[in-house]
Amino acid sequence: MALKMVKGSIDRMFDKNLQDLVRGIRNHKEDEAKYISQCIDEIKQELKQDNIAVKANAVCKLTYLQMLGYDISWAAFNIIEVMSASKFTFKRIGYLAASQCFHEGTDVIMLTTNQIRKDLSSPSQYDTGVALTGLSCFVTPDLARDLANDIMTLMSHTKPYIRKKAVLIMYKVFLKYPESLRPAFPRLKEKLEDPDPGVQSAAVNVICELARRNPKNYLSLAPLFFKLMTSSTNNWVLIKIIKLFGALTPLEPRLGKKLIEPLTNLIHSTSAMSLLYECVNTVIAVLISLSSGMPNHSASIQLCVQKLRILIEDSDQNLKYLGLLAMSKILRTHPKSVQSHKDLILQCLDDKDESIRLRALDLLYGMVSKKNLMEIVKRLMTHVDKAEGTTYRDELLTKIIDICSQSNYQYITNFEWYISILVELTRLEGTRHGHLIAAQMLDVAIRVKAIRKFAVSQMSMLLDSAHLVASSTQRNGICEVLYAAAWICGEFSEHLQEPHQTLEAMLRPKVTTLPGHIQAVYVQNVVKLYASILQQQEQAAEPEAAQEVTQLMVERLPQFVQSADLEVQERASCILQLVKHVQKLQGKGVPVAEEVSALFAGELNPVAPKAQKKVPVPEGLDLDAWINEPPSDSESEDEKPKAIFHDEEQRQARHRQPEVDEEELARRREARKQEQANNPFYIKSSPSPQKRYQDAPGVEHIPVVQIDLSVPLKVPGMPMSDQYVKLEEERRHRQRLEKDKKKRRKKKEKEKDKKGKHRRHSSLPTESDEDIAPAQQVDIVTEEMPENALPSDEDDKDPNDPYRALDIDLDKPLADSEKLPIQKHRNAETPKSPEKEDVPVVEKKSKKPKKKEKKHKEKEREKEKKEEKEKKAEDLDFWLSTTPPPATAPAPIPSTEELAVNAVTAPDNTCEGLRREEAEDENDEAEQDPERKSSRHKKKKHKKEKEERTKDKKKVKKKQPEPEEEAAGPVENGAAEEEPAPPMSSYCLLAENSYIKMTYDIQASLQKDSQVTVSVILENQSSSFLKNMELNVLDSLNAKMARPEGSSVHDGVPVPFQLPPGVSNEAQFVFTIQSIIMAQKLKGTLSFIAKDADGATHEKLDFRLHFSCSSYLVTTPCYSDAFAKLLESGDLSMSSIKVDGISMSFQNLLAKICFHHHFSVVERVDSCASMYSRSIQGHHVCLLVKKGEHSVSVDGKCSDSTLLSNLLEEMKATLAQC
Amino acid sequence: MIKAILIFNNQGKPRLSKFYQPHSGDAQQQIIRTTFHLVSKRDENVCNFLEGGLLIGGSDNKLNYRHSATLYFVFCVDSSESELGILDLFQVFMETLDKGFENVCELDLTFHVDKVHNILAEMVMGGMVLETNMSEIDSQNKLEKSEAGLAGSPARAVSAVKNMHLPEIPRNINIGDINIKVPNLPYFK
């Protein structure tokens, strides 16, 4: 037996391993394919062996062959076998092979779930690591769903090696299983502050990827990232964060203001080019998001441009490239600052590196002005000549056209020049962009009426020399221009000098070698031309000449009738018959010209490409409405009419809008303009086409400057654009002289003159552009749009975008149904109501009664509107206000960071003035912000009075809505809606002395089953500076404070900030609770140093921290069906209380219970409501609240009787105050 | 995100291909080929970026490549990666390879592609940069080696025995000038 094994392994020794395979392939260069197929046969044999080492070796070789392009999907099962090997080296081979060739379509992949789960929980970190690495490549939606929870656990693994991999792979899990994002996010956020830099970097990486796709959901993390940015020294992390800020700033300009200073500092201080570059990029993004007119920002722009110039001038091609890349971003909003570096950019056009040339071309686009357009294009044309036969030339060609045609030909002063440029471009051989040139020719000829004559003459010349264009070998490209030429000559044939000659050119036999669609246009336009010739000759009374032309047509058209192209054939035969008929009539001496040209009467106007889409839905047309009543389901019937009624109401409201008076309209317009100016995504166009339509009611009213006749309308031979450059210069010179003369005469006249000239100017005035008037006062015919077309463009997002699924609001509290599936114990009673529509219904119910209270309707509406926004913005607003960012972790923070934070807050003060000015234009929310800050104290007093008035005996103090209240989202919702309920705050007084006042709130979260977070607001009430604050509690057996690693139970936890006089800030402390069924109190002390002018004293403040049972509850929505099931299950114990003498309305009462005890209303019928909540350790608590005449009875059911009785006691205390 | 990492030699023969987005086998080969054509016709001392990103989906992508002696290293990345950062990643990658193979040359990569994969797996995971600290990558590699020590060594011994029969192994083709010896990272000081 033993001998057999030895023999077996010796045999194995001479199996080919990977190296042998590679060597073999190298030695069989001539018959590689044959050799490899041999090898694959061998591998197939090896895979049949039982020995796992042999299999692993075989799989390893397969992985290599996969890279060479051989299909190895047939071995998928063997790969899984190797993955499950116990030896790490084999396992690794298996996972590698899987990561290289598994994909979502691999059917055996579902067999791996358990194996991967086993590896993930393996005691060896390398097994886990390799499984994570492999999984990151082939994770499928199923795997993601099944393993999400396991991976989430690994995110808190003790070894950083595992943690960082687990964190990173979460991104892939999110992509495949978006439902996991919300439950996993809190932990991911935690990892941003992981002690291990690798893990931290991984978390930053993941959040940056997420935020890049849906930035708005991650705005609330800005403070945290800001902290990281000012504290981290890892350049990789810094780069990622800075890039992330670049994505966030467009959404929150205030963030940008806060960022500018630290970023500028970084730019000045860093020696790492990569970091410098990203800083510059983000500063640019910030500047784009801010309004450009701010004086103090021009310094930042200058700094950026200056740094970029250094990059561009660097000899390192990479830096040069990146410099140009970033420059093009600045160009979009601050063209002027870039234009001053025109020399440098033109220089880059000559660079030997194509990537650099392309970037420089991009920049040119924004650098042209009326003044320099001709010069730049001339330069580009010389490049075009040099770059023959490359794709770069095509790129040049498109760029020339782009540059010239941008914003409605804004920079073209002389269209004759442009046409001649286009004609010159037709001489390029082998370009793919013939159609582009053709489109331009058509566009210009149609829209610039004044140029038609010239265009036609040029086009007829082009047709004349068509053999030049069409004879080149790669005909398909450039001959497209003949399409345009033929059409222009036909359509505007009245401008032709020698129509007869053109007609003959178009009927040459050579034409039949052109592509079909061009021939078709030829045929059609030949008739147009024919019609106009007929008319001319009949007017001139030359019937013979007319008949000659007809004869020519009859002779030549048959060549098209024989065309292989159906379109050409059809048109030609149709027209041939027509012409023959005309010939007959002509023979009889009947005048036909009128009738023939009637065929082509009327003018074609360009139609905007989106015109169809923009046709507004006519009033009263509801495409969704039923034409016939649908066969009704009994249930939905009730709802339907309501919905329709509701809809109508809205529509009426919309119609009423126009009644707003002029003033209001003007104000709104101004505000909108402001907004647009601030919005980097708003495309600042040249005045919108429609507007111009209105401005210019008819062509007659346009002050037309006489066409400068010094420009010869017909240039002999092929035109040369260079001539026009010179002519144009002369013209401009003359113009200048003239103007100077005029200036001396009368000012008024000059102004009038200017007005006329500026009609076409866009919103972007370029330096001294105003001085140049176009040679032809051209009326650019705008594209037609339907009346009332909607101006906005909704950009249609790709519905298949995988990242769209990750657009998830992360600030909402976690619903129970969202927990990640855990394999072991799936609760049968978790509310499984699938329809999400249920949620709003429940909400609506609670809203309804409130609406009856008319007094507060106004207030309510306001609140409702703002609520959503505010809730999210709160966190950020708080941070963006002057106080230092709230520390989210009790971790000790190095003093350098404190300094950084202080430094950061300083510049914001200066911004405040500006912000306040802006506030007038901004919405209410923004207005509130500075006010809140400035009058914080006043407000507080005011609040206190209010509280007294409403006889809320609790020592509640509402400072400012704290971000942490978000955790109790729906509750807060309820509370806010329940005006006139007394203002409620979950913050209670903890302790107070002459120096400091502490209020606190306890939040629990479902994700951490035995942890609660205590947020303490510390308010400095003295005139001293408070620092070195340290909070300590005496841990009990049941509750312990989480302390930084390495400190003993007697150490305090430092508060991560200092308090200047009159300032308050919030610190959070985490406590671990073992049993939550009893309330308890912890004794604690806050020690601090109070420093004032006389010196520093060491002070102390004792307090008792009260953990009520309610604070362990987490507001959890519950559907009524799940609720019923829960009650039916019967494993809940029951208890009840009754409180007399209650005067408060039932509505407010419920709100109070919701708010203070973290319940949510499941259902409410009259004066009876069922409520639900859940403890952090998973106890269900169900309540039935009934209101009698002057009393309230509460029946409770809970999985733990002690917890229930304690809860009810607490509730009794609350209700007793009502 | 890094979309793909490719290594091929001057003739376009793949030495390593790692795709972080699913592509069929044929598409992978096609991508390698076109990338090779794009990259190989570029002059020396031009910039290391190439906007041929259409290859691996999306115009957002860019090719960052590096040519050293007989090999092209190509990273296809999207706009969330810092361009200069990726260039430094090349440096880290090459230095790590150099350490792992002791004076790395093309043949090392050819014969030990699995090892290259393992090194890469510690640097980049699922398209995201996992670790940039060379010593970390290295020490983990050592640990892995020691763990696999028993299984690993006989195989090496066997191949040594087998190699003796072969005429001669071109072991001396050394590519010493791959910039690998540059001690500091140019963009990350």
Side-chain angles (χ1 to χ4, degrees):
Chain A
M1 180 68 190
L3 201 68
K4 210 177 168 189
M5 270 179 71
V6 168
K7 190 180 174 293
S9 64
I10 286 176
D11 278 352
R12 295 287 72 78
M13 269 180 75
F14 293 100
D15 278 344
K16 276 198 197 83
N17 63 12
L18 175 62
Q19 283 76 40
D20 300 326
L21 174 76
V22 176
R23 197 170 298 120
I25 294 174
R26 289 164 69 90
N27 290 338
H28 291 80
K29 286 226 165 80
E30 323 74 50
D31 51 350
E32 193 181 295
K34 196 179 146 204
Y35 178 76
I36 288 178
S37 72
Q38 257 174 32
C39 289
I40 291 182
D41 286 341
E42 275 171 34
I43 289 169
K44 281 185 179 159
Q45 286 306 314
E46 284 165 32
L47 286 175
K48 283 182 189 147
Q49 307 268 346
D50 284 332
N51 190 336
I52 192 74
V54 178
K55 275 187 186 162
N57 184 39
V59 167
C60 183
K61 288 190 277 182
L62 280 178
T63 313
Y64 182 79
L65 293 178
Q66 193 272 340
M67 180 180 77
L68 298 184
Y70 290 87
D71 176 39
I72 62 162
S73 57
W74 50 270
F77 189 76
N78 303 105
I79 291 172
I80 293 178
E81 279 180 314
V82 177
M83 278 162 73
S84 58
S86 53
K87 262 192 184 151
F88 171 67
T89 26
F90 298 155
K91 191 184 283 299
R92 188 165 66 175
I93 291 171
Y95 271 106
L96 175 62
S99 73
Q100 292 294 87
C101 74
F102 281 13
H103 50 89
E104 280 190 22
T106 309
D107 44 4
V108 289
I109 215 166
M110 58 204 226
L111 299 177
T112 59
T113 316
N114 278 318
Q115 178 58 40
I116 296 173
R117 178 172 287 130
K118 212 176 104 196
D119 288 336
L120 289 182
S121 54
S122 156
S124 155
Q125 64 167 332
Y126 294 112
D127 283 352
T128 315
V130 85
L132 286 171
T133 308
L135 189 61
S136 73
C137 289
F138 58 79
V139 60
T140 62
D142 285 340
L143 281 177
R145 191 193 57 235
D146 294 339
L147 295 172
N149 202 57
D150 302 69
I151 299 171
M152 217 169 97
T153 328
L154 289 180
M155 282 166 78
S156 319
H157 200 274
T158 49
K159 290 187 175 129
Y161 177 72
I162 301 297
R163 281 210 302 275
K164 70 181 179 194
K165 288 196 169 193
V167 168
L168 219 50
I169 202 182
M170 275 323 272
Y171 179 63
K172 295 279 174 171
V173 174
F174 295 151
L175 276 183
K176 299 289 177 189
Y177 179 55
E179 289 86 343
S180 62
L181 178 56
R182 272 165 50 71
F185 195 72
R187 193 168 291 182
L188 183 61
K189 202 168 137 187
E190 251 173 54
K191 294 297 147 203
L192 285 176
E193 296 182 296
D194 196 279
D196 184 83
V199 182
Q200 198 184 38
S201 154
V204 169
N205 233 325
V206 170
I207 293 187
C208 288
E209 280 297 332
L210 289 169
R212 205 164 68 91
R213 307 293 178 174
N214 301 297
K216 65 175 191 311
N217 299 338
Y218 298 87
L219 260 182
S220 58
L221 287 183
L224 192 55
F225 275 116
F226 193 85
K227 201 174 110 192
L228 280 178
M229 184 177 83
T230 45
S231 62
S232 176
T233 51
N234 180 346
N235 278 347
W236 289 91
V237 170
L238 279 176
I239 287 177
K240 280 282 171 192
I241 292 175
I242 288 168
K243 267 187 167 285
L244 173 70
F245 276 132
L248 292 182
T249 40
L251 303 169
E252 178 55 88
R254 281 178 296 168
L255 176 65
K257 280 180 198 154
K258 210 164 173 152
L259 281 172
I260 281 239
E261 172 137 338
L263 285 179
T264 342
N265 290 343
L266 263 178
I267 290 179
H268 283 303
S269 65
T270 185
S271 61
M273 267 304 177
S274 43
L275 187 57
L276 173 103
Y277 176 67
E278 294 308 336
C279 285
V280 169
N281 254 333
T282 299
V283 170
I284 294 170
V286 168
L287 293 175
I288 291 174
S289 73
L290 296 175
S291 56
S292 49
M294 289 184 165
N296 52 336
H297 290 141
S298 66
S300 308
I301 298 167
Q302 279 315 314
L303 177 69
C304 288
V305 175
Q306 190 193 326
K307 287 280 173 190
L308 290 179
R309 189 176 171 111
I310 294 174
L311 290 189
I312 297 173
E313 282 172 338
D314 199 289
S315 60
D316 186 338
Q317 297 281 323
N318 290 327
L319 298 183
K320 188 172 275 197
Y321 171 86
L322 293 174
L324 290 170
L325 192 66
M327 204 65 121
S328 62
K329 286 180 197 153
I330 301 188
L331 185 74
R332 259 168 254 155
T333 47
H334 302 87
K336 269 189 198 168
S337 6
V338 183
Q339 268 157 11
S340 53
H341 300 284
K342 203 180 89 187
D343 54 319
L344 193 61
I345 286 152
L346 285 176
Q347 213 177 304
C348 290
L349 275 184
D350 298 323
D351 200 282
K352 59 181 182 302
D353 189 346
E354 194 177 298
S355 302
I356 288 176
R357 287 201 303 261
L358 286 174
R359 289 268 75 97
L361 271 184
D362 269 355
L363 275 170
L364 270 188
Y365 180 81
M367 305 192 78
V368 291
S369 63
K370 287 193 167 142
K371 226 179 178 179
N372 62 17
L373 176 73
M374 287 182 159
E375 178 201 332
I376 287 180
V377 171
K378 187 181 163 192
R379 203 158 168 165
L380 292 180
M381 291 300 282
T382 60
H383 280 283
V384 169
D385 290 338
K386 275 191 252 167
E388 180 144 7
T390 55
T391 46
Y392 175 62
R393 193 175 66 167
D394 280 355
E395 198 60 37
L396 270 170
L397 191 153
T398 46
K399 264 287 136 38
I400 291 175
I401 290 178
D402 275 359
I403 287 174
C404 293
S405 63
Q406 66 173 306
S407 24
N408 228 350
Y409 307 106
Q410 188 196 344
Y411 298 116
I412 294 185
T413 48
N414 187 332
F415 276 92
E416 291 181 6
W417 164 81
Y418 185 46
I419 295 266
S420 57
I421 284 285
L422 289 176
V423 173
E424 263 178 60
L425 286 175
T426 63
R427 283 184 231 146
L428 295 187
E429 277 176 28
T431 179
R432 289 180 293 117
H433 293 300
H435 62 279
L436 265 184
I437 306 175
Q440 280 295 296
M441 287 174 169
L442 287 172
D443 199 42
V444 172
I446 293 168
R447 294 172 61 187
V448 186
K449 281 184 178 157
I451 201 68
R452 281 183 192 163
K453 190 162 186 169
F454 179 77
V456 167
S457 73
Q458 293 296 316
M459 292 304 120
S460 66
M461 246 184 290
L462 206 56
L463 286 178
D464 232 7
S465 56
H467 54 283
L468 291 178
V469 177
S471 66
S472 67
T473 41
Q474 289 138 307
R475 288 179 314 161
N476 48 355
I478 203 68
C479 64
E480 290 289 328
V481 295
L482 293 177
Y483 175 100
W487 190 86
I488 292 170
C489 285
E491 182 68 22
F492 308 118
S493 49
E494 68 270 20
H495 298 298
L496 268 179
Q497 299 277 315
E498 293 167 58
H500 210 284
Q501 199 184 330
T502 311
L503 184 71
E504 277 192 44
M506 286 172 82
L507 289 172
R508 278 185 206 139
K510 258 248 146 120
V511 172
T512 50
T513 58
L514 291 172
H517 65 285
I518 298 179
Q519 282 187 57
V521 172
Y522 263 70
V523 173
Q524 191 73 10
N525 285 286
V526 156
V527 201
K528 290 187 199 164
L529 207 51
Y530 169 67
S532 79
I533 293 176
L534 272 188
Q535 192 144 29
Q536 270 178 26
Q537 286 170 342
E538 262 179 33
Q539 272 165 5
E542 295 172 355
E544 290 86 28
Q547 277 173 356
E548 259 171 52
V549 177
T550 313
Q551 187 56 37
L552 180 76
M553 292 284 280
V554 174
E555 278 167 21
R556 297 283 177 84
L557 275 174
Q559 62 183 346
F560 295 109
V561 177
Q562 293 155 8
S563 170
D565 193 284
L566 275 181
E567 175 91 15
V568 181
Q569 205 185 76
E570 194 177 4
R571 287 188 192 204
S573 51
C574 199
I575 286 162
L576 184 61
Q577 290 315 310
L578 178 80
V579 175
K580 279 182 179 163
H581 183 68
V582 169
Q583 197 174 28
K584 228 184 273 172
L585 290 176
Q586 275 181 331
K588 289 176 194 161
V590 183
V592 284
E594 279 299 315
E595 282 171 57
V596 177
S597 43
L599 283 175
F600 307 105
E603 198 166 324
L604 295 173
N605 280 330
V607 175
K610 284 179 187 157
Q612 178 68 45
K613 220 165 86 185
K614 303 236 163 161
V615 177
V617 179
E619 223 173 287
L621 173 66
D622 182 1
L623 292 172
D624 293 326
W626 290 97
I627 297 171
N628 296 314
E629 271 305 304
S632 58
D633 293 340
S634 54
E635 258 189 277
S636 62
E637 228 175 11
D638 292 344
E639 311 247 328
K640 268 274 148 56
K642 252 185 234 163
I644 289 166
F645 177 67
H646 186 64
D647 220 359
E648 256 168 13
E649 212 172 41
Q650 272 189 341
R651 206 174 300 147
Q652 274 172 5
R654 211 183 304 145
H655 289 318
R656 242 174 274 138
Q657 250 175 357
E659 287 166 30
V660 196
D661 59 313
E662 266 310 299
E663 217 174 296
E664 169 73 5
L665 274 178
R667 199 186 59 77
R668 281 189 200 167
R669 209 172 293 139
E670 200 47 51
R672 197 170 53 236
K673 260 189 204 159
Q674 188 79 21
E675 199 183 306
Q676 287 168 353
N678 291 341
N679 185 350
F681 299 116
Y682 185 82
I683 300 165
K684 284 150 200 135
S685 67
S686 48
S688 87
Q690 282 151 286
K691 230 192 215 161
R692 239 184 290 142
Y693 242 2
Q694 288 158 6
D695 291 348
V699 190
E700 300 84 10
H701 303 285
I702 302 165
V704 177
V705 172
Q706 276 200 332
I707 290 183
D708 196 334
L709 286 175
S710 65
V711 182
L713 282 179
K714 190 180 178 237
V715 184
M718 285 297 239
M720 284 302 295
S721 54
D722 287 359
Q723 295 168 321
Y724 290 99
V725 179
K726 260 181 223 149
L727 286 168
E728 176 73 10
E729 263 162 29
E730 280 167 29
R731 189 184 67 83
R732 282 184 193 171
H733 182 69
R734 262 203 317 281
Q735 212 168 37
R736 222 172 296 135
L737 289 179
E738 239 168 80
K739 205 172 246 173
D740 286 347
K741 251 188 248 166
K742 267 186 195 169
K743 223 184 244 172
R744 268 172 251 140
R745 274 186 228 155
K746 271 182 188 175
K747 267 199 172 175
K748 267 191 183 176
E749 241 181 59
K750 196 190 96 193
E751 257 168 34
K752 228 188 208 171
D753 183 51
K754 261 198 168 180
K755 235 183 236 168
K757 280 173 190 164
H758 290 323
R759 207 178 44 78
R760 216 161 59 80
H761 280 200
S762 92
S763 52
L764 271 175
T766 3
E767 16 90 67
S768 73
D769 257 9
E770 281 104 305
D771 296 338
I772 306 167
Q776 296 95 346
Q777 191 58 55
V778 275
D779 167 37
I780 297 189
V781 180
T782 50
E783 292 163 337
E784 287 194 332
M785 282 289 238
E787 282 172 50
N788 315 323
L790 308 160
S792 69
D793 267 34
E794 313 108 41
D795 55 288
D796 3 23
K797 267 194 178 173
D798 179 12
N800 297 325
D801 183 7
Y803 305 104
R804 241 175 46 148
L806 285 181
D807 189 0
I808 293 165
D809 186 359
L810 295 163
D811 294 327
K812 268 194 301 188
L814 209 59
D816 204 17
S817 55
E818 280 183 306
K819 279 196 108 176
L820 288 176
I822 304 169
Q823 263 235 324
K824 285 163 197 163
H825 33 76
R826 207 167 294 202
N827 295 355
E829 73 269 41
T830 27
K832 266 282 165 179
S833 316
E835 283 96 353
K836 285 202 167 160
E837 290 115 61
D838 277 6
V839 184
V841 171
V842 172
E843 270 180 9
K844 248 181 217 161
K845 261 179 199 161
S846 63
K847 269 180 196 168
K848 243 185 232 164
K850 154 209 86 181
K851 280 192 176 160
K852 284 170 194 160
E853 304 183 28
K854 280 178 187 169
K855 276 187 233 164
H856 301 272
K857 217 174 181 177
E858 187 101 295
K859 243 186 187 174
E860 266 165 34
R861 210 181 300 150
E862 245 179 50
K863 274 221 165 161
E864 254 174 82
K865 257 193 263 164
K866 274 187 278 174
E867 225 164 35
E868 266 298 298
K869 246 195 209 165
E870 226 166 77
K871 251 202 333 171
K872 247 201 229 161
E874 211 92 282
D875 205 358
L876 203 63
D877 278 350
F878 180 61
W879 175 66
L880 289 165
S881 65
T882 43
T883 44
T888 38
I893 282 163
S895 57
T896 48
E897 210 230 18
E898 277 170 21
L899 285 175
V901 169
N902 287 341
V904 164
T905 51
D908 211 48
N909 277 329
T910 58
C911 290
E912 211 186 302
L914 284 166
R915 195 183 310 155
R916 213 168 291 170
E917 278 169 28
E918 278 174 12
E920 290 172 12
D921 298 325
E922 281 170 25
N923 52 15
D924 308 16
E925 188 209 351
E927 248 168 81
Q928 255 187 4
D929 183 42
E931 187 212 6
R932 192 198 297 158
K933 270 179 292 155
S934 58
S935 61
R936 182 180 285 160
H937 285 280
K938 214 172 74 190
K939 219 175 178 182
K940 222 187 296 160
K941 271 182 206 157
H942 182 70
K943 280 244 167 79
K944 265 189 183 161
E945 282 166 23
K946 205 173 169 189
E947 275 160 32
E948 274 165 41
R949 253 204 329 266
T950 48
K951 288 177 187 171
D952 188 6
K953 284 171 201 164
K954 265 195 124 191
K955 293 170 191 164
V956 177
K957 187 170 145 284
K958 190 168 180 181
K959 266 211 170 124
Q960 55 200 33
E962 282 304 323
E964 279 66 32
E965 281 177 21
E966 275 172 29
V971 178
E972 196 196 37
N973 263 347
E977 282 159 6
E978 301 323 330
E979 297 277 350
M984 286 188 280
S985 166
S986 51
Y987 281 78
C988 334
L989 186 72
L990 185 57
E992 190 175 14
N993 65 9
S994 57
Y995 286 104
I996 196 163
K997 179 172 182 174
M998 301 165 73
T999 47
Y1000 78 107
D1001 180 34
I1002 301 172
Q1003 298 109 25
S1005 109
L1006 272 179
Q1007 285 300 318
K1008 296 175 226 151
D1009 57 358
S1010 57
Q1011 282 190 351
V1012 290
T1013 308
V1014 179
S1015 311
V1016 183
I1017 297 178
L1018 301 158
E1019 190 194 355
N1020 188 347
Q1021 294 186 316
S1022 68
S1023 56
S1024 325
F1025 192 85
L1026 303 185
K1027 59 180 195 176
N1028 288 16
M1029 285 183 282
E1030 217 176 69
L1031 187 122
N1032 198 7
V1033 293
L1034 276 175
D1035 287 354
S1036 71
L1037 277 177
N1038 193 24
K1040 294 182 171 55
M1041 179 158 71
R1043 293 177 166 85
E1045 258 176 68
S1047 51
S1048 84
V1049 284
H1050 304 295
D1051 289 342
V1053 174
V1055 177
F1057 48 79
Q1058 308 180 338
L1059 286 181
V1063 168
S1064 67
N1065 202 346
E1066 187 180 84
Q1068 293 188 328
F1069 304 92
V1070 178
F1071 285 79
T1072 316
I1073 312 288
Q1074 298 226 304
S1075 159
I1076 59 155
I1077 53 171
M1078 300 258 270
Q1080 62 176 322
K1081 284 183 177 167
L1082 288 184
K1083 266 193 198 168
T1085 317
L1086 178 82
S1087 59
F1088 54 91
I1089 294 176
K1091 196 178 168 189
D1092 52 17
D1094 308 331
T1097 50
H1098 208 276
E1099 298 289 339
K1100 256 175 150 184
L1101 175 61
D1102 291 330
F1103 58 82
R1104 286 167 79 88
L1105 198 54
H1106 180 74
F1107 289 94
S1108 64
C1109 282
S1110 306
S1111 59
Y1112 302 134
L1113 295 185
V1114 179
T1115 313
T1116 317
C1118 183
Y1119 303 107
S1120 48
D1121 49 350
F1123 187 76
K1125 234 185 238 169
L1126 191 65
L1127 288 181
E1128 278 166 19
S1129 69
D1131 32 356
L1132 305 179
S1133 52
M1134 196 183 146
S1135 174
S1136 53
I1137 52 163
K1138 191 171 179 184
V1139 185
D1140 288 324
I1142 289 192
S1143 53
M1144 198 181 238
S1145 78
F1146 190 53
Q1147 186 62 36
N1148 291 338
L1149 201 91
L1150 288 182
K1152 237 182 150 127
I1153 296 177
C1154 281
F1155 189 71
H1156 289 294
H1157 300 285
H1158 305 195
F1159 276 86
S1160 60
V1161 178
V1162 177
E1163 214 168 357
R1164 184 185 156 188
V1165 184
D1166 297 331
S1167 56
C1168 188
S1170 51
M1171 304 176 92
Y1172 175 80
S1173 185
R1174 203 174 152 178
S1175 81
I1176 53 173
Q1177 293 180 350
H1179 303 100
H1180 302 281
V1181 190
C1182 308
L1183 295 183
L1184 183 66
V1185 185
K1186 278 181 273 183
K1187 190 174 190 309
E1189 192 81 344
H1190 289 292
S1191 69
V1192 169
S1193 69
V1194 180
D1195 297 320
K1197 276 192 171 185
C1198 175
S1199 19
D1200 189 289
S1201 57
T1202 327
L1203 177 65
L1204 180 63
S1205 58
N1206 282 326
L1207 273 174
L1208 289 179
E1209 278 311 306
E1210 284 168 19
M1211 221 167 284
K1212 203 168 180 177
T1214 313
L1215 292 176
Q1217 294 168 2
C1218 298
Chain B
M1 283 274 283
I2 299 171
K3 304 291 168 119
I5 296 175
L6 307 173
I7 304 177
F8 41 75
N9 68 5
N10 286 346
Q11 284 77 49
K13 282 249 165 65
R15 292 298 174 224
L16 174 120
S17 68
K18 183 87 201 164
F19 291 87
Y20 294 105
Q21 279 181 334
H23 289 282
S24 74
D26 291 341
Q28 291 185 0
Q29 294 303 311
Q30 177 66 25
I31 289 171
I32 294 174
R33 268 197 302 276
T34 37
T35 312
F36 170 70
H37 282 302
L38 276 178
V39 168
S40 62
K41 70 174 179 214
R42 284 174 67 86
D43 296 333
E44 293 295 320
N45 64 45
V46 294
C47 74
N48 297 124
F49 313 114
L50 200 60
E51 281 150 87
L54 283 173
L55 292 181
I56 311 189
S59 53
D60 198 24
N61 296 346
K62 225 181 242 156
L63 293 177
N64 287 24
Y65 75 97
R66 189 132 179 200
H67 188 203
S68 48
T70 58
L71 290 177
Y72 284 100
F73 292 74
V74 184
F75 281 36
C76 179
V77 299
D78 69 12
S79 63
S80 74
E81 298 294 336
S82 151
E83 291 89 347
L84 294 174
I86 293 293
L87 288 186
D88 285 338
L89 200 62
F90 278 122
Q91 199 65 38
V92 174
F93 187 33
M94 287 179 181
E95 281 181 45
T96 319
L97 286 178
D98 205 34
K99 269 192 184 169
F101 288 108
E102 284 149 27
N103 246 336
V104 68
C105 67
E106 190 192 335
L107 283 183
D108 290 325
L109 302 197
T110 322
F111 284 106
H112 301 279
V113 63
D114 51 340
K115 199 171 165 190
V116 183
H117 268 296
N118 295 336
I119 291 175
L120 189 60
E122 296 303 323
M123 273 177 59
V124 180
M125 187 176 134
M128 282 175 286
V129 178
L130 179 67
E131 185 59 73
T132 50
N133 190 335
M134 284 235 308
S135 60
E136 291 268 323
I137 295 171
D138 201 46
S139 72
Q140 276 149 18
N141 219 40
K142 258 183 217 157
L143 272 168
E144 281 172 21
K145 235 193 268 174
S146 73
E147 244 206 1
L150 272 174
S153 58
R156 248 173 283 152
V158 168
S159 71
V161 168
K162 278 191 255 179
N163 286 352
M164 295 214 310
H165 301 293
L166 285 165
E168 98 186 84
I169 322 130
R171 194 72 187 169
N172 306 334
I173 303 174
N174 239 341
I175 314 157
D177 55 344
I178 321 184
N179 294 350
I180 283 173
K181 297 248 164 101
V182 182
N184 53 350
L185 306 179
Y187 301 115
F188 266 137
K189 268 166 209 162

